[in-house]
PDB file of all heavy atoms in Angstrom:
ATOM      1  N   ASP A 215      28.173 -17.512 -40.236  1.00 94.00           N
ATOM      2  CA  ASP A 215      28.272 -16.182 -39.678  1.00 94.00           C
ATOM      3  C   ASP A 215      27.488 -16.053 -38.483  1.00 94.00           C
ATOM      4  O   ASP A 215      26.213 -15.749 -38.585  1.00 94.00           O
ATOM      5  CB  ASP A 215      27.870 -15.178 -40.783  1.00 94.00           C
ATOM      6  CG  ASP A 215      28.119 -13.737 -40.354  1.00 94.00           C
ATOM      7  OD1 ASP A 215      28.857 -13.495 -39.364  1.00 94.00           O
ATOM      8  OD2 ASP A 215      27.828 -12.779 -41.190  1.00 94.00           O
ATOM      9  N   PRO A 216      27.970 -16.445 -37.365  1.00 95.00           N
ATOM     10  CA  PRO A 216      27.148 -16.606 -36.171  1.00 95.00           C
ATOM     11  C   PRO A 216      26.707 -15.223 -35.441  1.00 95.00           C
ATOM     12  O   PRO A 216      25.872 -15.334 -34.536  1.00 95.00           O
ATOM     13  CB  PRO A 216      27.922 -17.477 -35.197  1.00 95.00           C
ATOM     14  CG  PRO A 216      29.322 -17.478 -35.683  1.00 95.00           C
ATOM     15  CD  PRO A 216      29.318 -16.860 -37.047  1.00 95.00           C
ATOM     16  N   TRP A 217      27.007 -14.201 -35.869  1.00 97.00           N
ATOM     17  CA  TRP A 217      26.718 -12.891 -35.296  1.00 97.00           C
ATOM     18  C   TRP A 217      26.850 -12.928 -33.804  1.00 97.00           C
ATOM     19  O   TRP A 217      25.980 -12.403 -33.020  1.00 97.00           O
ATOM     20  CB  TRP A 217      25.179 -12.572 -35.690  1.00 97.00           C
ATOM     21  CG  TRP A 217      25.012 -12.053 -37.069  1.00 97.00           C
ATOM     22  CD1 TRP A 217      24.924 -12.892 -38.143  1.00 97.00           C
ATOM     23  CD2 TRP A 217      24.982 -10.743 -37.617  1.00 97.00           C
ATOM     24  NE1 TRP A 217      24.876 -12.151 -39.383  1.00 97.00           N
ATOM     25  CE2 TRP A 217      24.973 -10.820 -38.909  1.00 97.00           C
ATOM     26  CE3 TRP A 217      24.983  -9.511 -36.930  1.00 97.00           C
ATOM     27  CZ2 TRP A 217      24.833  -9.651 -39.692  1.00 97.00           C
ATOM     28  CZ3 TRP A 217      24.917  -8.381 -37.704  1.00 97.00           C
ATOM     29  CH2 TRP A 217      24.857  -8.470 -39.050  1.00 97.00           C
ATOM     30  N   THR A 218      27.904 -13.488 -33.387  1.00 98.00           N
ATOM     31  CA  THR A 218      28.296 -13.576 -31.955  1.00 98.00           C
ATOM     32  C   THR A 218      29.778 -13.028 -31.796  1.00 98.00           C
ATOM     33  O   THR A 218      30.627 -13.406 -32.559  1.00 98.00           O
ATOM     34  CB  THR A 218      28.233 -15.017 -31.456  1.00 98.00           C
ATOM     35  OG1 THR A 218      26.990 -15.471 -31.658  1.00 98.00           O
ATOM     36  CG2 THR A 218      28.534 -15.173 -29.965  1.00 98.00           C
ATOM     37  N   TRP A 219      29.902 -12.071 -30.821  1.00 98.00           N
ATOM     38  CA  TRP A 219      31.282 -11.543 -30.752  1.00 98.00           C
ATOM     39  C   TRP A 219      31.690 -11.698 -29.166  1.00 98.00           C
ATOM     40  O   TRP A 219      30.928 -11.514 -28.292  1.00 98.00           O
ATOM     41  CB  TRP A 219      31.300 -10.080 -31.024  1.00 98.00           C
ATOM     42  CG  TRP A 219      31.160  -9.829 -32.505  1.00 98.00           C
ATOM     43  CD1 TRP A 219      32.297  -9.641 -33.367  1.00 98.00           C
ATOM     44  CD2 TRP A 219      30.029  -9.711 -33.229  1.00 98.00           C
ATOM     45  NE1 TRP A 219      31.810  -9.485 -34.682  1.00 98.00           N
ATOM     46  CE2 TRP A 219      30.399  -9.524 -34.633  1.00 98.00           C
ATOM     47  CE3 TRP A 219      28.642  -9.827 -33.024  1.00 98.00           C
ATOM     48  CZ2 TRP A 219      29.585  -9.383 -35.688  1.00 98.00           C
ATOM     49  CZ3 TRP A 219      27.738  -9.689 -34.160  1.00 98.00           C
ATOM     50  CH2 TRP A 219      28.162  -9.443 -35.402  1.00 98.00           C
ATOM     51  N   LEU A 220      32.974 -11.887 -29.002  1.00 98.00           N
ATOM     52  CA  LEU A 220      33.613 -11.982 -27.698  1.00 98.00           C
ATOM     53  C   LEU A 220      34.565 -10.835 -27.564  1.00 98.00           C
ATOM     54  O   LEU A 220      35.294 -10.528 -28.486  1.00 98.00           O
ATOM     55  CB  LEU A 220      34.419 -13.293 -27.436  1.00 98.00           C
ATOM     56  CG  LEU A 220      33.530 -14.572 -27.248  1.00 98.00           C
ATOM     57  CD1 LEU A 220      34.535 -15.825 -27.379  1.00 98.00           C
ATOM     58  CD2 LEU A 220      32.945 -14.419 -25.824  1.00 98.00           C
ATOM     59  N   ALA A 221      34.660 -10.361 -26.343  1.00 98.00           N
ATOM     60  CA  ALA A 221      35.643  -9.285 -25.993  1.00 98.00           C
ATOM     61  C   ALA A 221      36.578 -10.017 -25.032  1.00 98.00           C
ATOM     62  O   ALA A 221      36.207 -10.665 -24.232  1.00 98.00           O
ATOM     63  CB  ALA A 221      34.987  -8.061 -25.305  1.00 98.00           C
ATOM     64  N   GLU A 222      37.937  -9.841 -25.344  1.00 98.00           N
ATOM     65  CA  GLU A 222      38.883 -10.612 -24.614  1.00 98.00           C
ATOM     66  C   GLU A 222      39.920  -9.647 -24.060  1.00 98.00           C
ATOM     67  O   GLU A 222      40.372  -8.765 -24.720  1.00 98.00           O
ATOM     68  CB  GLU A 222      39.623 -11.599 -25.428  1.00 98.00           C
ATOM     69  CG  GLU A 222      38.760 -12.800 -25.822  1.00 98.00           C
ATOM     70  CD  GLU A 222      39.453 -13.839 -26.748  1.00 98.00           C
ATOM     71  OE1 GLU A 222      40.392 -13.403 -27.462  1.00 98.00           O
ATOM     72  OE2 GLU A 222      39.148 -14.996 -26.637  1.00 98.00           O
ATOM     73  N   ARG A 223      40.332  -9.969 -22.759  1.00 97.00           N
ATOM     74  CA  ARG A 223      41.573  -9.208 -22.226  1.00 97.00           C
ATOM     75  C   ARG A 223      42.566 -10.309 -21.940  1.00 97.00           C
ATOM     76  O   ARG A 223      42.242 -11.294 -21.223  1.00 97.00           O
ATOM     77  CB  ARG A 223      41.104  -8.545 -20.971  1.00 97.00           C
ATOM     78  CG  ARG A 223      42.198  -7.661 -20.434  1.00 97.00           C
ATOM     79  CD  ARG A 223      41.991  -6.981 -19.122  1.00 97.00           C
ATOM     80  NE  ARG A 223      40.816  -6.075 -19.157  1.00 97.00           N
ATOM     81  CZ  ARG A 223      40.790  -4.827 -19.563  1.00 97.00           C
ATOM     82  NH1 ARG A 223      41.825  -4.373 -20.247  1.00 97.00           N
ATOM     83  NH2 ARG A 223      39.809  -4.116 -19.576  1.00 97.00           N
ATOM     84  N   ASN A 224      43.738 -10.194 -22.592  1.00 96.00           N
ATOM     85  CA  ASN A 224      44.749 -11.126 -22.411  1.00 96.00           C
ATOM     86  C   ASN A 224      44.358 -12.606 -22.669  1.00 96.00           C
ATOM     87  O   ASN A 224      44.652 -13.459 -21.959  1.00 96.00           O
ATOM     88  CB  ASN A 224      45.531 -11.018 -20.968  1.00 96.00           C
ATOM     89  CG  ASN A 224      45.985  -9.705 -20.573  1.00 96.00           C
ATOM     90  OD1 ASN A 224      46.563  -9.099 -21.548  1.00 96.00           O
ATOM     91  ND2 ASN A 224      45.702  -9.323 -19.445  1.00 96.00           N
ATOM     92  N   GLY A 225      43.505 -12.744 -23.760  1.00 96.00           N
ATOM     93  CA  GLY A 225      43.035 -14.040 -24.141  1.00 96.00           C
ATOM     94  C   GLY A 225      41.890 -14.524 -23.334  1.00 96.00           C
ATOM     95  O   GLY A 225      41.350 -15.596 -23.571  1.00 96.00           O
ATOM     96  N   ARG A 226      41.479 -13.727 -22.228  1.00 97.00           N
ATOM     97  CA  ARG A 226      40.254 -14.184 -21.375  1.00 97.00           C
ATOM     98  C   ARG A 226      39.030 -13.603 -21.814  1.00 97.00           C
ATOM     99  O   ARG A 226      38.989 -12.316 -22.017  1.00 97.00           O
ATOM    100  CB  ARG A 226      40.689 -13.883 -20.024  1.00 97.00           C
ATOM    101  CG  ARG A 226      39.612 -14.454 -18.913  1.00 97.00           C
ATOM    102  CD  ARG A 226      40.146 -14.142 -17.516  1.00 97.00           C
ATOM    103  NE  ARG A 226      39.750 -12.710 -17.067  1.00 97.00           N
ATOM    104  CZ  ARG A 226      38.626 -12.425 -16.521  1.00 97.00           C
ATOM    105  NH1 ARG A 226      37.674 -13.359 -16.346  1.00 97.00           N
ATOM    106  NH2 ARG A 226      38.364 -11.116 -16.243  1.00 97.00           N
ATOM    107  N   PRO A 227      37.972 -14.427 -22.052  1.00 98.00           N
ATOM    108  CA  PRO A 227      36.768 -13.738 -22.536  1.00 98.00           C
ATOM    109  C   PRO A 227      36.100 -12.871 -21.427  1.00 98.00           C
ATOM    110  O   PRO A 227      35.902 -13.504 -20.246  1.00 98.00           O
ATOM    111  CB  PRO A 227      35.794 -14.946 -22.886  1.00 98.00           C
ATOM    112  CG  PRO A 227      36.741 -16.193 -22.837  1.00 98.00           C
ATOM    113  CD  PRO A 227      37.899 -15.786 -22.127  1.00 98.00           C
ATOM    114  N   VAL A 228      35.822 -11.618 -21.652  1.00 98.00           N
ATOM    115  CA  VAL A 228      35.311 -10.719 -20.596  1.00 98.00           C
ATOM    116  C   VAL A 228      33.950 -10.119 -21.040  1.00 98.00           C
ATOM    117  O   VAL A 228      33.279  -9.477 -20.207  1.00 98.00           O
ATOM    118  CB  VAL A 228      36.234  -9.753 -20.124  1.00 98.00           C
ATOM    119  CG1 VAL A 228      37.488 -10.262 -19.422  1.00 98.00           C
ATOM    120  CG2 VAL A 228      36.681  -8.837 -21.378  1.00 98.00           C
ATOM    121  N   GLY A 229      33.583 -10.366 -22.225  1.00 98.00           N
ATOM    122  CA  GLY A 229      32.366  -9.764 -22.717  1.00 98.00           C
ATOM    123  C   GLY A 229      31.744 -10.443 -23.933  1.00 98.00           C
ATOM    124  O   GLY A 229      32.383 -11.232 -24.646  1.00 98.00           O
ATOM    125  N   LEU A 230      30.431 -10.452 -24.006  1.00 98.00           N
ATOM    126  CA  LEU A 230      29.702 -11.292 -25.097  1.00 98.00           C
ATOM    127  C   LEU A 230      28.562 -10.345 -25.685  1.00 98.00           C
ATOM    128  O   LEU A 230      27.832  -9.754 -24.876  1.00 98.00           O
ATOM    129  CB  LEU A 230      29.066 -12.444 -24.385  1.00 98.00           C
ATOM    130  CG  LEU A 230      28.141 -13.361 -25.380  1.00 98.00           C
ATOM    131  CD1 LEU A 230      28.955 -13.983 -26.537  1.00 98.00           C
ATOM    132  CD2 LEU A 230      27.420 -14.417 -24.541  1.00 98.00           C
ATOM    133  N   LEU A 231      28.532 -10.318 -26.915  1.00 98.00           N
ATOM    134  CA  LEU A 231      27.319  -9.725 -27.666  1.00 98.00           C
ATOM    135  C   LEU A 231      26.854 -10.773 -28.652  1.00 98.00           C
ATOM    136  O   LEU A 231      27.610 -11.245 -29.397  1.00 98.00           O
ATOM    137  CB  LEU A 231      27.754  -8.462 -28.354  1.00 98.00           C
ATOM    138  CG  LEU A 231      26.583  -7.730 -28.905  1.00 98.00           C
ATOM    139  CD1 LEU A 231      26.943  -6.150 -28.930  1.00 98.00           C
ATOM    140  CD2 LEU A 231      26.236  -8.154 -30.277  1.00 98.00           C
ATOM    141  N   VAL A 232      25.499 -11.058 -28.646  1.00 98.00           N
ATOM    142  CA  VAL A 232      24.857 -11.950 -29.633  1.00 98.00           C
ATOM    143  C   VAL A 232      23.741 -11.068 -30.351  1.00 98.00           C
ATOM    144  O   VAL A 232      23.007 -10.485 -29.680  1.00 98.00           O
ATOM    145  CB  VAL A 232      24.204 -13.272 -29.144  1.00 98.00           C
ATOM    146  CG1 VAL A 232      23.685 -14.151 -30.173  1.00 98.00           C
ATOM    147  CG2 VAL A 232      25.300 -13.901 -28.240  1.00 98.00           C
ATOM    148  N   ASP A 233      23.741 -11.052 -31.749  1.00 98.00           N
ATOM    149  CA  ASP A 233      22.724 -10.323 -32.366  1.00 98.00           C
ATOM    150  C   ASP A 233      21.985 -11.267 -33.341  1.00 98.00           C
ATOM    151  O   ASP A 233      22.541 -12.414 -33.715  1.00 98.00           O
ATOM    152  CB  ASP A 233      23.426  -9.229 -33.218  1.00 98.00           C
ATOM    153  CG  ASP A 233      22.321  -8.349 -33.931  1.00 98.00           C
ATOM    154  OD1 ASP A 233      21.729  -7.580 -33.136  1.00 98.00           O
ATOM    155  OD2 ASP A 233      22.246  -8.532 -35.178  1.00 98.00           O
ATOM    156  N   GLN A 234      20.684 -10.980 -33.689  1.00 98.00           N
ATOM    157  CA  GLN A 234      20.031 -11.686 -34.750  1.00 98.00           C
ATOM    158  C   GLN A 234      19.911 -10.546 -35.724  1.00 98.00           C
ATOM    159  O   GLN A 234      19.212  -9.581 -35.628  1.00 98.00           O
ATOM    160  CB  GLN A 234      18.576 -12.075 -34.260  1.00 98.00           C
ATOM    161  CG  GLN A 234      18.672 -13.067 -33.235  1.00 98.00           C
ATOM    162  CD  GLN A 234      17.275 -13.459 -32.677  1.00 98.00           C
ATOM    163  OE1 GLN A 234      16.309 -12.796 -32.922  1.00 98.00           O
ATOM    164  NE2 GLN A 234      17.202 -14.569 -31.937  1.00 98.00           N
ATOM    165  N   PRO A 235      20.467 -10.837 -37.071  1.00 98.00           N
ATOM    166  CA  PRO A 235      20.233  -9.901 -38.212  1.00 98.00           C
ATOM    167  C   PRO A 235      18.874  -9.944 -38.700  1.00 98.00           C
ATOM    168  O   PRO A 235      18.111 -10.914 -38.278  1.00 98.00           O
ATOM    169  CB  PRO A 235      21.262 -10.477 -39.213  1.00 98.00           C
ATOM    170  CG  PRO A 235      21.449 -11.880 -38.830  1.00 98.00           C
ATOM    171  CD  PRO A 235      21.269 -12.024 -37.263  1.00 98.00           C
ATOM    172  N   PRO A 236      18.463  -9.101 -39.597  1.00 98.00           N
ATOM    173  CA  PRO A 236      17.030  -9.125 -40.038  1.00 98.00           C
ATOM    174  C   PRO A 236      16.566 -10.473 -40.434  1.00 98.00           C
ATOM    175  O   PRO A 236      15.177 -10.810 -40.172  1.00 98.00           O
ATOM    176  CB  PRO A 236      17.017  -8.205 -41.124  1.00 98.00           C
ATOM    177  CG  PRO A 236      18.128  -7.147 -40.779  1.00 98.00           C
ATOM    178  CD  PRO A 236      19.117  -7.987 -40.175  1.00 98.00           C
ATOM    179  N   GLN A 237      17.209 -11.216 -41.114  1.00 97.00           N
ATOM    180  CA  GLN A 237      16.722 -12.602 -41.561  1.00 97.00           C
ATOM    181  C   GLN A 237      16.372 -13.571 -40.447  1.00 97.00           C
ATOM    182  O   GLN A 237      15.647 -14.504 -40.624  1.00 97.00           O
ATOM    183  CB  GLN A 237      17.689 -13.217 -42.579  1.00 97.00           C
ATOM    184  CG  GLN A 237      19.027 -13.592 -42.039  1.00 97.00           C
ATOM    185  CD  GLN A 237      20.085 -12.486 -42.316  1.00 97.00           C
ATOM    186  OE1 GLN A 237      19.647 -11.264 -42.337  1.00 97.00           O
ATOM    187  NE2 GLN A 237      21.363 -12.773 -42.399  1.00 97.00           N
ATOM    188  N   GLU A 238      16.907 -13.288 -39.163  1.00 97.00           N
ATOM    189  CA  GLU A 238      16.485 -14.064 -38.051  1.00 97.00           C
ATOM    190  C   GLU A 238      15.585 -13.348 -36.990  1.00 97.00           C
ATOM    191  O   GLU A 238      15.092 -13.896 -36.033  1.00 97.00           O
ATOM    192  CB  GLU A 238      17.785 -14.434 -37.234  1.00 97.00           C
ATOM    193  CG  GLU A 238      18.615 -15.520 -37.899  1.00 97.00           C
ATOM    194  CD  GLU A 238      19.983 -15.624 -37.293  1.00 97.00           C
ATOM    195  OE1 GLU A 238      20.131 -15.471 -36.099  1.00 97.00           O
ATOM    196  OE2 GLU A 238      20.949 -15.749 -37.926  1.00 97.00           O
ATOM    197  N   ALA A 239      15.326 -12.096 -37.308  1.00 98.00           N
ATOM    198  CA  ALA A 239      14.603 -11.234 -36.290  1.00 98.00           C
ATOM    199  C   ALA A 239      13.084 -11.059 -36.757  1.00 98.00           C
ATOM    200  O   ALA A 239      12.446 -10.186 -36.163  1.00 98.00           O
ATOM    201  CB  ALA A 239      15.265  -9.926 -36.133  1.00 98.00           C
ATOM    202  N   GLY A 240      12.645 -11.794 -37.688  1.00 98.00           N
ATOM    203  CA  GLY A 240      11.250 -11.668 -38.162  1.00 98.00           C
ATOM    204  C   GLY A 240      10.224 -11.856 -37.042  1.00 98.00           C
ATOM    205  O   GLY A 240       9.165 -11.196 -36.959  1.00 98.00           O
TER     206      GLY A 240
END
Side-chain angles (χ1 to χ4, degrees):
D215 192 1
W217 285 81
T218 301
W219 287 267
L220 282 169
E222 288 180 331
R223 190 185 294 286
N224 302 322
R226 188 175 80 86
V228 292
L230 171 71
L231 186 153
V232 184
D233 185 73
Q234 293 176 348
Q237 60 271 27
E238 288 168 34

